[in-house]
């Protein structure tokens, strides 16, 4: 099991497989930094495509800008783009999603906890005074 924290880069979308199974697809950006040999801070962002198979209802609150912690397994994929250039990407098969907060907005946003969580109550994020811990 791996846990990754990042910001959603777009609103989640629900796709349906040919067998009728629904999957929620979303992408998160994970920001990191390091110092180069000259001591300069270098920022980098890694984009990770996520697939969540537990419930399609998660797409209702998985919106661009939401900071989440996701739990699951990584896999790597490779393909040729339309120009024949080799490409690679990271897939994250998500078991559970923990909405942490929304950056860039001052107002609080209420999100529904996923069915993978033990609490069925809405969690209010974005206001530090209302954190559930």
């Amino acid at each position: 099991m791996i846990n990754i924290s990042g910001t959603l880069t777009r609103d989640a979308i629900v796709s349906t497989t040919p067998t009728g199974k629904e999957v929620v697809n979303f992408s998160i950006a994970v920001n990191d930094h390091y110092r180069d040999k000259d001591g300069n801070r270098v920022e980098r962002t890694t984009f990770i495509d996520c697939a969540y198979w537990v419930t399609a209802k998660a797409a209702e609150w998985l919106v661009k800008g939401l900071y989440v912690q996701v739990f699951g397994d990584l896999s790597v994929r490779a393909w040729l783009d339309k120009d024949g250039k080799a490409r690679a990407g990271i897939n994250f098969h998500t078991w559970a999603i923990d909405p942490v907060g929304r950056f860039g907005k001052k107002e609080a946003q209420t999100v529904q906890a996923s069915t993978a969580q033990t609490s069925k109550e809405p969690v209010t994020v974005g206001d530090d005074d209302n954190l559930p811990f």
Side-chain angles (χ1 to χ4, degrees), residues 79-87:
W79 71 95
L80 296 176
D81 67 13
K82 63 182 177 183
D83 298 325
K85 187 175 180 180
R87 298 286 188 179

Side-chain angles (χ1 to χ4, degrees), residues 29-90:
V30 178
N31 297 316
D32 193 11
H33 67 275
Y34 63 93
R35 300 258 179 218
D36 65 13
K37 65 181 179 177
D38 298 323
N40 299 317
R41 183 180 167 114
V42 178
E43 300 284 335
R44 69 177 169 195
T45 303
T46 302
F47 298 94
I48 301 172
D49 293 326
C50 299
Y52 182 66
W53 296 84
V54 177
T55 177
K57 290 185 178 203
E60 296 172 10
W61 51 266
L62 287 171
V63 295
K64 182 178 179 176
L66 182 68
Y67 191 79
V68 295
Q69 186 173 23
V70 293
F71 305 86
D73 291 316
L74 278 176
S75 66
V76 179
R77 70 181 190 284
W79 71 95
L80 296 176
D81 67 13
K82 63 182 177 183
D83 298 325
K85 187 175 180 180
R87 298 286 188 179
I90 300 170

